[in-house]
Amino acid sequence: MKPATSSGEHVPGGTESGLPSAPGAPGLLRTVPAEPLGAVPAGPGVPGAPEPLPSPGGAGGGGRPSSGGLGAVVLRLVAWRLAFAVPLLIAVTAGMFALAKASPFDPVRQYLGDRATVTDPEVVERIRANWGLDRPVLEQYATWVGNLFRGDLGDSRSLHLPVTQVIAERLPWTLLATSAAIVLMLAGSLLVGTLAAWREGSWADRLITGGAFANEAAPVFWLGLLAVWVFSVQFGWLPAGGLTSAGSSTVEAGDVAAHMILPVTVLAVSQSSWLVLYVRESVIGTLREDFVVGARARGLRERTVVVRHALRSALLPFLTLLGARVPELVTGAILVETVFSWPGVASASVQAALAVDFPLLAALTLLGTLAVVCGNLLADVAYTVADPRVRTLGVG
Amino acid sequence: MRLARRLATLSAVFGLLTAACSAPTTGTPAPGDAFVIGLSSEFDTLNPVMGYSPDGGSLIYEGLMSREPDLSMKPALAATAPVTSADGKTVTFTLREGVKFHDGRPVTAADVEYTYEALLEEANNSPIRGDYTAIEEVAAPDAKTVVFTLKHPYAPLVQRTTLGVVPKGSPLTGDPPPGAGPYRFVSRTPGDKIVLEGNRGYWAGAPAITRLVLAFAEDDNVRAARMSAGEFDATILPPKAAARFDGQPDITVHRVPSADYRGIMFPLKQPVTGDRTIRRALSLAIDRGAMVDTILAGAGRPAFGPVSPDTAWHNPEVTGPAAGDPEAARKLLQDAGWKAGDDGIRVKDGRRAEFSLMYPAGDTLRKELALAVASDARKVGVDVRLAGLDWDAIEPRMSEDALIMGWGSPYDPDYVNYELFHSAYAGKGFFNPGGYANPKVDELLETGRASGDEAVRRQVYRDFQKIVHDDEVWTYLVFLKHVYVIRGNPAGVRPGVDAHEHATGGLFRDIHTWRPAS
């Protein structure tokens, strides 16, 4: 219950924060790729850049005279976003404190766990006082913010460890899983989306498009449970959960990789629908453009036409779309880590919420909000650098 | 090999992943000699000061004293049994020579002093501080001597010194500090497992089981399934889930008696539950034998008082008919003026014989016991309405409604009983919310706590059990048996009498003396 509300609290906010510049609106999506078309064919026309991605850099290099202006624009964008992030972070953390205060659960009892009923009431009161739970919520919040600036995140009450240690132990696993998911999601949706566009109207295209819509409608945890049922219970191919096998006492790469396959794939698949649909749409649009038709007429190979010309011009806005997926990725990671007992920060936030573990919950909420803000910012910076003309859209 | 094959099957699809992770085909990490125990709940902490396994069985840590399966005390870090002064307020321990922590440092009196002082320090928020409040001061006059000065004579102090000792100055949170116990901490995967390794330098001899994994799986069925699948070598299960392992070759099922009881805690200031006749009749109406047979699948015994019949402190007079005596219950109520109304529920002075019985909603055992109580009570004309609630909702209602509660310690009769029945704790938290106050009981509890004379204490707690039984303060239902399932039949498994909490205590408390049967 709690994690859903707490993440629901900041995630929509994060999405909105991304909206002004992120081409979330379909209209923006269409117009933006249409414009660089003139620029992009110039790249492949000079057969220099072998990979699709460096092309934005090349474009930036092409606009060298304006590079000073570009730096200023990026700086302005970052400053603007940071200025916006401060009130956002305050609102999110203050909201979380207020919610936790209003919760009917007693954090001291959660801290004591099984010992709650056998603990002297005097000891319970003493702990309550030591934590400052008897003080007004505003004062608790102020203390927490003060400690935060001194780098003191406090001790997690449910895990009985310093919050910094909890995060240090678990963040790498979350980063490993989510970054693998991002890579898989990126590669997969480019491949599948391009395939669908190239064979537009075929059964494969219909299967991919229909699948993408169905996938978007399926909740992440349901996908996860389905994957466990099929691949672990029915076929027994993959482990159902955990980081390593129960009997093993060391963390070995192969073992972890085997345990990673299901959670990473589920996370990637669950987030990829819009990307696939976007790539398909945009490649189809490009394939009808004159320069592509021209390229085909010149007798270039089909592969070259699709990959070098059509896909390439679709890549730029793709970056921003990816940035806008960060909030969903965060919520997705929470559910996936919980379903697969993956020991990351996201699953820790579920525990923290259930145990009314203020210090840990606050730190994780902050981290989640930061991830969303930074994800959007990075995408926008990348976009601005890649295509200077977008600045008018990015900073109003 | 199987893992390698699985990876090979899937590597085509997940090429990216397997490429990212080096050497996926090095094969399975051989569990080899690791002994895997499946536990139902993860430890809140692994630091004794913060409440990790203070009653022994902590495996990583060694206390001044340790406990044998027959519940007798045996010196551990202490060289001999402690010396108590004539007034009972000073207890002196002398440490064993040559015992070392896992990091090689010798265990000194200063470490013992630090452990207890850290525990007593209010700012440290130790949840078990309340159990040690009799201690005024701990001193280490030299490296081998520890002196406890007490606020009042406190006979159970020696029982409390099973608390694990940590090195002086060790932090209270973070990874567990080194101990001097039979196993050393290797690693922890939060939410998954803890890995321990045999301490070759353990003073009482290196463990035969050299690698121990404590894996956590909350769900009973998951633990049973993983036990069947061979992932666990031992686990703890509810009686019904353990039944499938009975009679299986190479699996041993141990049903260990415990002092862990379930009973009804009454609000004594309420009109219906405050009437001793009602409580007496209820106790007579209940068929405890049926509860043991059906709800506990045979793993338990009827309970009539707070002290387990499996311990030497039990008063044999505190007993009753296992199957109940509903006829006697009806007569008792009839004679006291509780007459059956139209709907079969008894009424006296216009008041119906009805009350609410709460139980923690997530606890299936307590729920089933509550249902059985309600059904037995109705047969004698008492209406028990059930309320399954969360602990946070139960607490404020404890002075008004009855509650299915569990407690019980086999170690010392002072444990918990003092807080549960002493009037000083009336209305305080979970201890005596019903408000029981009997000066005679207060006096007995105080004498029992302070007296250093074993014979006096024995008599005191016998009298105490008799009075509490006659006053019908609680209606005790059943003592549980804890069910352990172990693969193979290792030599050296010594069942004792378990406490309410068991974690790695209980049967696993002396796993370092087990020898795997090959």
Side-chain angles (χ1 to χ4, degrees), chain A residues 109 111 115 117-118 120 130 237 244-246 248-249 265, chain B residues 6 14 122 125 127-128 131 174 190 193 211 226 395 407 425:
Chain A
R109 170 150 37 253
Y111 169 77
R115 290 199 57 91
T117 54
V118 289
D120 196 316
N130 283 352
W237 288 346
T244 53
S245 312
S248 75
S249 50
T265 311
Chain B
R6 287 177 198 164
F14 304 108
E122 286 190 355
N125 298 330
I128 54 172
D131 294 343
K193 64 178 174 236
R211 208 164 181 81
R226 292 178 73 174
E395 192 173 3
W407 251 316
Y425 281 89

PDB file of all heavy atoms in Angstrom, chain A residues 109 111 115 117-118 120 130 237 244-246 248-249 265, chain B residues 6 14 122 125 127-128 131 174 190 193 211 226 395 407 425:
ATOM      1  N   ARG A 109       7.046   0.078  17.441  1.00  0.00           N
ATOM      2  CA  ARG A 109       6.675  -1.343  17.440  1.00  0.00           C
ATOM      3  C   ARG A 109       7.333  -2.057  16.258  1.00  0.00           C
ATOM      4  O   ARG A 109       7.798  -3.184  16.389  1.00  0.00           O
ATOM      5  CB  ARG A 109       5.165  -1.513  17.383  1.00  0.00           C
ATOM      6  CG  ARG A 109       4.828  -2.951  17.135  1.00  0.00           C
ATOM      7  CD  ARG A 109       3.542  -3.493  17.690  1.00  0.00           C
ATOM      8  NE  ARG A 109       2.438  -2.604  17.656  1.00  0.00           N
ATOM      9  CZ  ARG A 109       1.935  -2.016  18.716  1.00  0.00           C
ATOM     10  NH1 ARG A 109       2.461  -2.243  19.898  1.00  0.00           N
ATOM     11  NH2 ARG A 109       0.911  -1.230  18.614  1.00  0.00           N
ATOM     12  N   TYR A 111      10.115  -1.284  14.913  1.00  0.00           N
ATOM     13  CA  TYR A 111      11.536  -1.386  15.254  1.00  0.00           C
ATOM     14  C   TYR A 111      11.772  -2.587  16.171  1.00  0.00           C
ATOM     15  O   TYR A 111      12.720  -3.344  15.994  1.00  0.00           O
ATOM     16  CB  TYR A 111      11.961  -0.096  15.947  1.00  0.00           C
ATOM     17  CG  TYR A 111      13.328  -0.101  16.598  1.00  0.00           C
ATOM     18  CD1 TYR A 111      14.481   0.011  15.835  1.00  0.00           C
ATOM     19  CD2 TYR A 111      13.459  -0.183  17.978  1.00  0.00           C
ATOM     20  CE1 TYR A 111      15.722   0.038  16.432  1.00  0.00           C
ATOM     21  CE2 TYR A 111      14.698  -0.167  18.585  1.00  0.00           C
ATOM     22  CZ  TYR A 111      15.837  -0.053  17.813  1.00  0.00           C
ATOM     23  OH  TYR A 111      17.066  -0.030  18.405  1.00  0.00           O
ATOM     24  N   ARG A 115       9.838  -8.543  19.424  1.00  0.00           N
ATOM     25  CA  ARG A 115      10.008  -8.247  20.846  1.00  0.00           C
ATOM     26  C   ARG A 115       9.029  -7.193  21.339  1.00  0.00           C
ATOM     27  O   ARG A 115       9.027  -6.861  22.525  1.00  0.00           O
ATOM     28  CB  ARG A 115      11.442  -7.759  21.106  1.00  0.00           C
ATOM     29  CG  ARG A 115      12.485  -8.832  20.956  1.00  0.00           C
ATOM     30  CD  ARG A 115      13.759  -8.409  21.663  1.00  0.00           C
ATOM     31  NE  ARG A 115      13.522  -8.121  23.062  1.00  0.00           N
ATOM     32  CZ  ARG A 115      13.616  -8.992  24.035  1.00  0.00           C
ATOM     33  NH1 ARG A 115      13.934 -10.227  23.780  1.00  0.00           N
ATOM     34  NH2 ARG A 115      13.403  -8.653  25.283  1.00  0.00           N
ATOM     35  N   THR A 117       5.957  -7.047  22.131  1.00  0.00           N
ATOM     36  CA  THR A 117       5.053  -7.317  23.253  1.00  0.00           C
ATOM     37  C   THR A 117       5.799  -7.639  24.544  1.00  0.00           C
ATOM     38  O   THR A 117       5.201  -7.604  25.610  1.00  0.00           O
ATOM     39  CB  THR A 117       4.116  -8.487  22.913  1.00  0.00           C
ATOM     40  OG1 THR A 117       4.906  -9.599  22.529  1.00  0.00           O
ATOM     41  CG2 THR A 117       3.169  -8.116  21.791  1.00  0.00           C
ATOM     42  N   VAL A 118       7.066  -7.995  24.456  1.00  0.00           N
ATOM     43  CA  VAL A 118       7.784  -8.351  25.682  1.00  0.00           C
ATOM     44  C   VAL A 118       8.706  -7.221  26.130  1.00  0.00           C
ATOM     45  O   VAL A 118       9.579  -7.421  26.962  1.00  0.00           O
ATOM     46  CB  VAL A 118       8.616  -9.649  25.527  1.00  0.00           C
ATOM     47  CG1 VAL A 118       7.706 -10.839  25.455  1.00  0.00           C
ATOM     48  CG2 VAL A 118       9.500  -9.587  24.304  1.00  0.00           C
ATOM     49  N   ASP A 120       9.494  -3.689  27.975  1.00  0.00           N
ATOM     50  CA  ASP A 120       9.010  -2.826  29.041  1.00  0.00           C
ATOM     51  C   ASP A 120       8.486  -1.507  28.451  1.00  0.00           C
ATOM     52  O   ASP A 120       9.177  -0.864  27.668  1.00  0.00           O
ATOM     53  CB  ASP A 120      10.199  -2.543  29.985  1.00  0.00           C
ATOM     54  CG  ASP A 120       9.731  -1.988  31.312  1.00  0.00           C
ATOM     55  OD1 ASP A 120       8.851  -1.108  31.281  1.00  0.00           O
ATOM     56  OD2 ASP A 120      10.238  -2.452  32.351  1.00  0.00           O
ATOM     57  N   ASN A 130      13.967   9.286  22.352  1.00  0.00           N
ATOM     58  CA  ASN A 130      15.284   9.378  21.718  1.00  0.00           C
ATOM     59  C   ASN A 130      15.173   9.713  20.228  1.00  0.00           C
ATOM     60  O   ASN A 130      16.025  10.383  19.671  1.00  0.00           O
ATOM     61  CB  ASN A 130      16.049   8.061  21.871  1.00  0.00           C
ATOM     62  CG  ASN A 130      16.614   7.891  23.269  1.00  0.00           C
ATOM     63  OD1 ASN A 130      16.562   8.819  24.084  1.00  0.00           O
ATOM     64  ND2 ASN A 130      17.124   6.716  23.562  1.00  0.00           N
ATOM     65  N   TRP A 237      13.870 -23.449 -16.008  1.00  0.00           N
ATOM     66  CA  TRP A 237      15.092 -22.977 -16.648  1.00  0.00           C
ATOM     67  C   TRP A 237      15.845 -21.957 -15.809  1.00  0.00           C
ATOM     68  O   TRP A 237      17.063 -21.908 -15.818  1.00  0.00           O
ATOM     69  CB  TRP A 237      14.763 -22.308 -18.002  1.00  0.00           C
ATOM     70  CG  TRP A 237      14.348 -23.272 -19.046  1.00  0.00           C
ATOM     71  CD1 TRP A 237      14.493 -24.638 -19.019  1.00  0.00           C
ATOM     72  CD2 TRP A 237      13.702 -22.960 -20.290  1.00  0.00           C
ATOM     73  NE1 TRP A 237      13.980 -25.185 -20.154  1.00  0.00           N
ATOM     74  CE2 TRP A 237      13.496 -24.185 -20.960  1.00  0.00           C
ATOM     75  CE3 TRP A 237      13.291 -21.776 -20.892  1.00  0.00           C
ATOM     76  CZ2 TRP A 237      12.885 -24.245 -22.200  1.00  0.00           C
ATOM     77  CZ3 TRP A 237      12.693 -21.838 -22.136  1.00  0.00           C
ATOM     78  CH2 TRP A 237      12.486 -23.061 -22.787  1.00  0.00           C
ATOM     79  N   THR A 244      21.552 -14.849  -5.540  1.00  0.00           N
ATOM     80  CA  THR A 244      22.369 -16.019  -5.833  1.00  0.00           C
ATOM     81  C   THR A 244      21.625 -17.259  -5.351  1.00  0.00           C
ATOM     82  O   THR A 244      20.607 -17.142  -4.687  1.00  0.00           O
ATOM     83  CB  THR A 244      23.721 -15.955  -5.098  1.00  0.00           C
ATOM     84  OG1 THR A 244      23.445 -15.746  -3.710  1.00  0.00           O
ATOM     85  CG2 THR A 244      24.598 -14.842  -5.609  1.00  0.00           C
ATOM     86  N   SER A 245      22.129 -18.433  -5.670  1.00  0.00           N
ATOM     87  CA  SER A 245      21.498 -19.672  -5.210  1.00  0.00           C
ATOM     88  C   SER A 245      21.575 -19.750  -3.692  1.00  0.00           C
ATOM     89  O   SER A 245      22.517 -19.238  -3.082  1.00  0.00           O
ATOM     90  CB  SER A 245      22.207 -20.873  -5.817  1.00  0.00           C
ATOM     91  OG  SER A 245      22.364 -20.677  -7.196  1.00  0.00           O
ATOM     92  N   ALA A 246      20.584 -20.453  -3.098  1.00  0.00           N
ATOM     93  CA  ALA A 246      20.486 -20.491  -1.637  1.00  0.00           C
ATOM     94  C   ALA A 246      21.736 -21.076  -0.995  1.00  0.00           C
ATOM     95  O   ALA A 246      22.201 -20.595   0.025  1.00  0.00           O
ATOM     96  CB  ALA A 246      19.266 -21.293  -1.223  1.00  0.00           C
ATOM     97  N   SER A 248      24.835 -21.139  -2.068  1.00  0.00           N
ATOM     98  CA  SER A 248      26.123 -20.507  -2.320  1.00  0.00           C
ATOM     99  C   SER A 248      26.404 -19.408  -1.308  1.00  0.00           C
ATOM    100  O   SER A 248      25.506 -18.700  -0.887  1.00  0.00           O
ATOM    101  CB  SER A 248      26.152 -19.918  -3.724  1.00  0.00           C
ATOM    102  OG  SER A 248      25.384 -18.738  -3.763  1.00  0.00           O
ATOM    103  N   SER A 249      27.641 -19.287  -0.937  1.00  0.00           N
ATOM    104  CA  SER A 249      27.974 -18.296   0.076  1.00  0.00           C
ATOM    105  C   SER A 249      28.761 -17.148  -0.526  1.00  0.00           C
ATOM    106  O   SER A 249      29.075 -16.191   0.143  1.00  0.00           O
ATOM    107  CB  SER A 249      28.773 -18.947   1.200  1.00  0.00           C
ATOM    108  OG  SER A 249      29.838 -19.677   0.661  1.00  0.00           O
ATOM    109  N   THR A 265      14.764  -8.752 -17.806  1.00  0.00           N
ATOM    110  CA  THR A 265      13.931  -8.869 -19.002  1.00  0.00           C
ATOM    111  C   THR A 265      12.533  -8.337 -18.737  1.00  0.00           C
ATOM    112  O   THR A 265      11.971  -7.596 -19.545  1.00  0.00           O
ATOM    113  CB  THR A 265      13.859 -10.346 -19.444  1.00  0.00           C
ATOM    114  OG1 THR A 265      15.176 -10.868 -19.469  1.00  0.00           O
ATOM    115  CG2 THR A 265      13.224 -10.466 -20.799  1.00  0.00           C
TER     116      THR A 265
ATOM    117  N   ARG B   6      21.328 -24.035 -18.713  1.00  0.00           N
ATOM    118  CA  ARG B   6      20.259 -23.040 -18.776  1.00  0.00           C
ATOM    119  C   ARG B   6      20.752 -21.774 -19.452  1.00  0.00           C
ATOM    120  O   ARG B   6      20.085 -21.188 -20.283  1.00  0.00           O
ATOM    121  CB  ARG B   6      19.809 -22.654 -17.365  1.00  0.00           C
ATOM    122  CG  ARG B   6      19.011 -23.710 -16.674  1.00  0.00           C
ATOM    123  CD  ARG B   6      18.717 -23.200 -15.295  1.00  0.00           C
ATOM    124  NE  ARG B   6      18.330 -24.282 -14.421  1.00  0.00           N
ATOM    125  CZ  ARG B   6      18.308 -24.179 -13.111  1.00  0.00           C
ATOM    126  NH1 ARG B   6      18.649 -23.050 -12.536  1.00  0.00           N
ATOM    127  NH2 ARG B   6      17.935 -25.168 -12.369  1.00  0.00           N
ATOM    128  N   PHE B  14      19.355 -13.666 -24.661  1.00  0.00           N
ATOM    129  CA  PHE B  14      19.830 -12.654 -23.724  1.00  0.00           C
ATOM    130  C   PHE B  14      21.334 -12.438 -23.888  1.00  0.00           C
ATOM    131  O   PHE B  14      22.066 -12.302 -22.916  1.00  0.00           O
ATOM    132  CB  PHE B  14      19.520 -13.069 -22.292  1.00  0.00           C
ATOM    133  CG  PHE B  14      18.063 -13.348 -22.088  1.00  0.00           C
ATOM    134  CD1 PHE B  14      17.606 -14.632 -21.910  1.00  0.00           C
ATOM    135  CD2 PHE B  14      17.149 -12.304 -22.096  1.00  0.00           C
ATOM    136  CE1 PHE B  14      16.260 -14.881 -21.734  1.00  0.00           C
ATOM    137  CE2 PHE B  14      15.802 -12.558 -21.920  1.00  0.00           C
ATOM    138  CZ  PHE B  14      15.353 -13.845 -21.742  1.00  0.00           C
ATOM    139  N   GLU B 122      20.815   4.349  27.803  1.00  0.00           N
ATOM    140  CA  GLU B 122      19.484   4.682  27.268  1.00  0.00           C
ATOM    141  C   GLU B 122      19.541   5.196  25.837  1.00  0.00           C
ATOM    142  O   GLU B 122      18.674   4.910  25.027  1.00  0.00           O
ATOM    143  CB  GLU B 122      18.817   5.734  28.146  1.00  0.00           C
ATOM    144  CG  GLU B 122      18.319   5.173  29.454  1.00  0.00           C
ATOM    145  CD  GLU B 122      17.463   6.166  30.199  1.00  0.00           C
ATOM    146  OE1 GLU B 122      17.341   7.314  29.726  1.00  0.00           O
ATOM    147  OE2 GLU B 122      16.914   5.791  31.238  1.00  0.00           O
ATOM    148  N   ASN B 125      19.044   2.881  22.610  1.00  0.00           N
ATOM    149  CA  ASN B 125      17.761   2.309  22.173  1.00  0.00           C
ATOM    150  C   ASN B 125      17.761   0.791  22.088  1.00  0.00           C
ATOM    151  O   ASN B 125      17.130   0.227  21.207  1.00  0.00           O
ATOM    152  CB  ASN B 125      17.351   2.861  20.799  1.00  0.00           C
ATOM    153  CG  ASN B 125      17.131   4.351  20.813  1.00  0.00           C
ATOM    154  OD1 ASN B 125      16.743   4.896  21.841  1.00  0.00           O
ATOM    155  ND2 ASN B 125      17.356   5.014  19.697  1.00  0.00           N
ATOM    156  N   PRO B 127      16.439  -2.667  22.496  1.00  0.00           N
ATOM    157  CA  PRO B 127      15.088  -3.124  22.854  1.00  0.00           C
ATOM    158  C   PRO B 127      15.063  -4.057  24.055  1.00  0.00           C
ATOM    159  O   PRO B 127      14.008  -4.278  24.627  1.00  0.00           O
ATOM    160  CB  PRO B 127      14.609  -3.848  21.588  1.00  0.00           C
ATOM    161  CG  PRO B 127      15.813  -4.139  20.801  1.00  0.00           C
ATOM    162  CD  PRO B 127      16.847  -3.143  21.173  1.00  0.00           C
ATOM    163  N   ILE B 128      16.215  -4.622  24.455  1.00  0.00           N
ATOM    164  CA  ILE B 128      16.196  -5.567  25.574  1.00  0.00           C
ATOM    165  C   ILE B 128      16.672  -4.931  26.880  1.00  0.00           C
ATOM    166  O   ILE B 128      16.849  -5.628  27.871  1.00  0.00           O
ATOM    167  CB  ILE B 128      17.035  -6.829  25.281  1.00  0.00           C
ATOM    168  CG1 ILE B 128      18.464  -6.464  24.878  1.00  0.00           C
ATOM    169  CG2 ILE B 128      16.379  -7.658  24.183  1.00  0.00           C
ATOM    170  CD1 ILE B 128      19.375  -7.667  24.772  1.00  0.00           C
ATOM    171  N   ASP B 131      15.092  -5.848  30.237  1.00  0.00           N
ATOM    172  CA  ASP B 131      15.363  -7.130  30.891  1.00  0.00           C
ATOM    173  C   ASP B 131      16.563  -7.047  31.842  1.00  0.00           C
ATOM    174  O   ASP B 131      16.801  -7.961  32.615  1.00  0.00           O
ATOM    175  CB  ASP B 131      15.659  -8.213  29.837  1.00  0.00           C
ATOM    176  CG  ASP B 131      14.437  -8.525  28.987  1.00  0.00           C
ATOM    177  OD1 ASP B 131      13.317  -8.155  29.411  1.00  0.00           O
ATOM    178  OD2 ASP B 131      14.594  -9.119  27.914  1.00  0.00           O
ATOM    179  N   GLY B 174      25.422  -1.577  11.745  1.00  0.00           N
ATOM    180  CA  GLY B 174      26.359  -1.961  10.695  1.00  0.00           C
ATOM    181  C   GLY B 174      26.624  -3.446  10.799  1.00  0.00           C
ATOM    182  O   GLY B 174      25.892  -4.169  11.466  1.00  0.00           O
ATOM    183  N   PRO B 190      21.121  -8.966   2.605  1.00  0.00           N
ATOM    184  CA  PRO B 190      19.893  -8.565   3.277  1.00  0.00           C
ATOM    185  C   PRO B 190      18.670  -9.134   2.559  1.00  0.00           C
ATOM    186  O   PRO B 190      18.623  -9.143   1.332  1.00  0.00           O
ATOM    187  CB  PRO B 190      19.918  -7.039   3.186  1.00  0.00           C
ATOM    188  CG  PRO B 190      21.346  -6.688   2.978  1.00  0.00           C
ATOM    189  CD  PRO B 190      21.926  -7.821   2.189  1.00  0.00           C
ATOM    190  N   LYS B 193      19.955 -14.134   3.019  1.00  0.00           N
ATOM    191  CA  LYS B 193      20.621 -15.125   3.867  1.00  0.00           C
ATOM    192  C   LYS B 193      21.831 -14.551   4.600  1.00  0.00           C
ATOM    193  O   LYS B 193      22.308 -13.464   4.290  1.00  0.00           O
ATOM    194  CB  LYS B 193      21.055 -16.310   3.037  1.00  0.00           C
ATOM    195  CG  LYS B 193      22.089 -15.929   2.005  1.00  0.00           C
ATOM    196  CD  LYS B 193      22.549 -17.133   1.232  1.00  0.00           C
ATOM    197  CE  LYS B 193      23.462 -16.693   0.118  1.00  0.00           C
ATOM    198  NZ  LYS B 193      23.040 -17.131  -1.182  1.00  0.00           N
ATOM    199  N   ARG B 211      30.438 -25.003   7.508  1.00  0.00           N
ATOM    200  CA  ARG B 211      29.850 -23.869   6.814  1.00  0.00           C
ATOM    201  C   ARG B 211      28.352 -23.895   7.038  1.00  0.00           C
ATOM    202  O   ARG B 211      27.682 -24.893   6.803  1.00  0.00           O
ATOM    203  CB  ARG B 211      30.165 -23.973   5.320  1.00  0.00           C
ATOM    204  CG  ARG B 211      30.210 -22.640   4.659  1.00  0.00           C
ATOM    205  CD  ARG B 211      30.904 -22.725   3.308  1.00  0.00           C
ATOM    206  NE  ARG B 211      30.922 -21.383   2.729  1.00  0.00           N
ATOM    207  CZ  ARG B 211      31.800 -20.454   3.055  1.00  0.00           C
ATOM    208  NH1 ARG B 211      32.749 -20.723   3.915  1.00  0.00           N
ATOM    209  NH2 ARG B 211      31.734 -19.252   2.514  1.00  0.00           N
ATOM    210  N   ARG B 226      11.046 -25.879  -0.306  1.00  0.00           N
ATOM    211  CA  ARG B 226      12.501 -25.828  -0.494  1.00  0.00           C
ATOM    212  C   ARG B 226      13.190 -26.929   0.304  1.00  0.00           C
ATOM    213  O   ARG B 226      14.265 -27.398  -0.061  1.00  0.00           O
ATOM    214  CB  ARG B 226      13.034 -24.438  -0.123  1.00  0.00           C
ATOM    215  CG  ARG B 226      12.562 -23.370  -1.117  1.00  0.00           C
ATOM    216  CD  ARG B 226      13.027 -21.990  -0.737  1.00  0.00           C
ATOM    217  NE  ARG B 226      14.449 -21.783  -0.972  1.00  0.00           N
ATOM    218  CZ  ARG B 226      15.058 -20.607  -0.826  1.00  0.00           C
ATOM    219  NH1 ARG B 226      14.367 -19.539  -0.475  1.00  0.00           N
ATOM    220  NH2 ARG B 226      16.346 -20.483  -1.037  1.00  0.00           N
ATOM    221  N   GLU B 395      -3.831  -2.817  20.628  1.00  0.00           N
ATOM    222  CA  GLU B 395      -3.265  -2.245  21.853  1.00  0.00           C
ATOM    223  C   GLU B 395      -4.214  -1.316  22.614  1.00  0.00           C
ATOM    224  O   GLU B 395      -4.404  -1.492  23.817  1.00  0.00           O
ATOM    225  CB  GLU B 395      -1.942  -1.542  21.556  1.00  0.00           C
ATOM    226  CG  GLU B 395      -1.220  -1.205  22.851  1.00  0.00           C
ATOM    227  CD  GLU B 395       0.188  -0.659  22.632  1.00  0.00           C
ATOM    228  OE1 GLU B 395       0.575  -0.484  21.458  1.00  0.00           O
ATOM    229  OE2 GLU B 395       0.868  -0.413  23.624  1.00  0.00           O
ATOM    230  N   TRP B 407       2.951 -16.274  25.193  1.00  0.00           N
ATOM    231  CA  TRP B 407       4.145 -15.920  25.949  1.00  0.00           C
ATOM    232  C   TRP B 407       4.782 -17.198  26.454  1.00  0.00           C
ATOM    233  O   TRP B 407       4.374 -18.293  26.072  1.00  0.00           O
ATOM    234  CB  TRP B 407       3.764 -15.007  27.143  1.00  0.00           C
ATOM    235  CG  TRP B 407       4.226 -13.598  26.945  1.00  0.00           C
ATOM    236  CD1 TRP B 407       5.442 -13.211  26.483  1.00  0.00           C
ATOM    237  CD2 TRP B 407       3.461 -12.411  27.142  1.00  0.00           C
ATOM    238  NE1 TRP B 407       5.486 -11.832  26.410  1.00  0.00           N
ATOM    239  CE2 TRP B 407       4.303 -11.318  26.807  1.00  0.00           C
ATOM    240  CE3 TRP B 407       2.173 -12.153  27.585  1.00  0.00           C
ATOM    241  CZ2 TRP B 407       3.890 -10.001  26.908  1.00  0.00           C
ATOM    242  CZ3 TRP B 407       1.758 -10.839  27.683  1.00  0.00           C
ATOM    243  CH2 TRP B 407       2.601  -9.768  27.340  1.00  0.00           C
ATOM    244  N   TYR B 425       2.716  -3.246  37.021  1.00  0.00           N
ATOM    245  CA  TYR B 425       2.629  -3.173  35.572  1.00  0.00           C
ATOM    246  C   TYR B 425       1.187  -3.086  35.067  1.00  0.00           C
ATOM    247  O   TYR B 425       0.936  -3.178  33.872  1.00  0.00           O
ATOM    248  CB  TYR B 425       3.327  -4.379  34.930  1.00  0.00           C
ATOM    249  CG  TYR B 425       4.827  -4.220  34.885  1.00  0.00           C
ATOM    250  CD1 TYR B 425       5.629  -4.639  35.932  1.00  0.00           C
ATOM    251  CD2 TYR B 425       5.430  -3.623  33.787  1.00  0.00           C
ATOM    252  CE1 TYR B 425       7.008  -4.470  35.897  1.00  0.00           C
ATOM    253  CE2 TYR B 425       6.797  -3.456  33.735  1.00  0.00           C
ATOM    254  CZ  TYR B 425       7.586  -3.877  34.789  1.00  0.00           C
ATOM    255  OH  TYR B 425       8.933  -3.706  34.746  1.00  0.00           O
TER     256      TYR B 425
END
